[in-house]
Amino acid sequence: MTQSASKYSDAGVDIDKGNLFVSRIKSIVADTHRRGVLTDIGGFSGLFAIGNEDLKNPVLIASTDGVGTKLIVAKLCNKHDTIGIDLVAMCVNDVIVSGAKPLFFLDYFSSSTLDLDVATEVVRGIATGCKQANCSLIGGETAEMPGLYQPGDYDLAGFAVGIGDRNALIDGSDIRVGNKIIGLASSGIHSNGYSLVRKVFFEELGKKVDDFVEEFGCTVGEELLRPTRIYVDSVVNILRHHKINGLVHITGGGFIDNIPRILPVGCVAHITKDSWPILPIFTYLQEKGKIDLSEMYRTYNMGIGMMAIVSENKVEDLLHQFRAHGEHPYLIGEIRATQPGNDKRVFIDKTC
């Protein structure tokens, strides 16, 4: 008896399906292309010309990130068309804190076996995020890895590249004692702390994704899948005409770990508790999960997804400018001098 020849598809990897996937998403990807894109997807690499930027001393700024276990919520809801927005947001929001504007984006999608419908919806979300960030999706990688992932699972990684003028980059060195902190409202949890979120909602409370929660005005799944807000449009446009001394993207580590990343020696941040509306999801999570407030501020954005540290005389003008660009800004704190013998960098005060 002659044994039939083994094929790659017998091991769980379907090359033809991968090619079909590329053909499916070509128009979705092309719709994100801005000036500078030199290639279509399907090649060995993506090309982008940077000579169109009017910068004296151009510098490229890159960021990479994922969306963590929020992917599990997407799977539970069988809703995959917004998780790509989160992926883009986590990367481009990091790029803009340097004072740069995003140029292009690449993604990595890996799974046990490629589900064409799911993967297409994910890319559709990535394209939506790229449009919101005014950057181009110029390539990516789709990998089938049977044995590494369970059936139905997939993982995502994103890579964003932006450009800025070296002489105008923001690194926090201009922050001074007396500067004020403007917080920009988040859309919800964004994409951090979902391992604890899932533990509270699905293990401790026994909730299902389609359970309606009165405090949210929607189901658990709808609340937990709210896409991460992308701040590119407002921040990039405001930086064209206004000076910002420091920008902070509030991601994993919350207020406590992220703000110190840009503070100069001798400076600490004092945040005024209750100076902005705390979204119901955070109050619910803290109360139902019996989570210490300090842990909440170290894990979640608490309703503030981006912070701008500015000179005191710029506050009113910048509050107005952020509102004009569709943000909900709040004056939430100030920069003070370090106190001898105290190594804390962030204080959550009742009053400033």
Side-chain angles (χ1 to χ4, degrees), residues 77-204:
C77 294
N78 192 27
K79 179 175 171 56
H80 307 278
D81 60 343
T82 60
I83 201 74
I85 300 174
D86 293 289
L87 185 67
V88 175
M90 297 305 290
C91 297
V92 297
N93 284 344
D94 277 352
V95 166
I96 62 174
V97 299
S98 295
K101 67 176 180 179
L103 293 176
F104 58 85
F105 189 85
L106 299 98
D107 70 277
Y108 176 79
F109 180 99
S110 55
S111 60
S112 175
T113 56
L114 181 62
D115 184 316
L116 286 173
D117 292 334
V118 169
T120 300
E121 287 303 292
V122 170
V123 172
R124 199 181 305 279
I126 292 172
T128 298
C130 285
K131 290 177 186 177
Q132 291 180 17
N134 193 28
C135 69
S136 302
L137 178 57
I138 65 169
E141 166 68 2
T142 306
E144 288 185 290
M145 295 190 281
L148 185 60
Y149 297 100
Q150 296 299 314
D153 289 348
Y154 65 88
D155 198 9
L156 292 174
F159 313 87
V161 174
I163 194 167
D165 193 318
R166 187 169 185 172
N167 301 321
L169 294 181
I170 301 171
D171 60 7
S173 60
D174 290 334
I175 294 173
R176 298 289 183 268
V177 172
N179 282 181
K180 301 299 183 180
I181 304 171
I182 294 174
L184 305 182
S186 69
S187 56
I189 297 178
H190 284 184
S191 302
N192 298 105
Y194 270 79
S195 294
L196 180 55
V197 166
R198 291 185 299 106
K199 180 177 183 294
V200 171
F201 275 92
F202 305 137
E203 294 180 24
E204 297 178 2

Side-chain angles (χ1 to χ4, degrees), residues 64-81:
T64 182
D65 211 334
V67 293
T69 59
K70 190 171 185 176
L71 289 168
I72 295 176
V73 181
K75 180 182 176 181
L76 290 172
C77 294
N78 192 27
K79 179 175 171 56
H80 307 278
D81 60 343

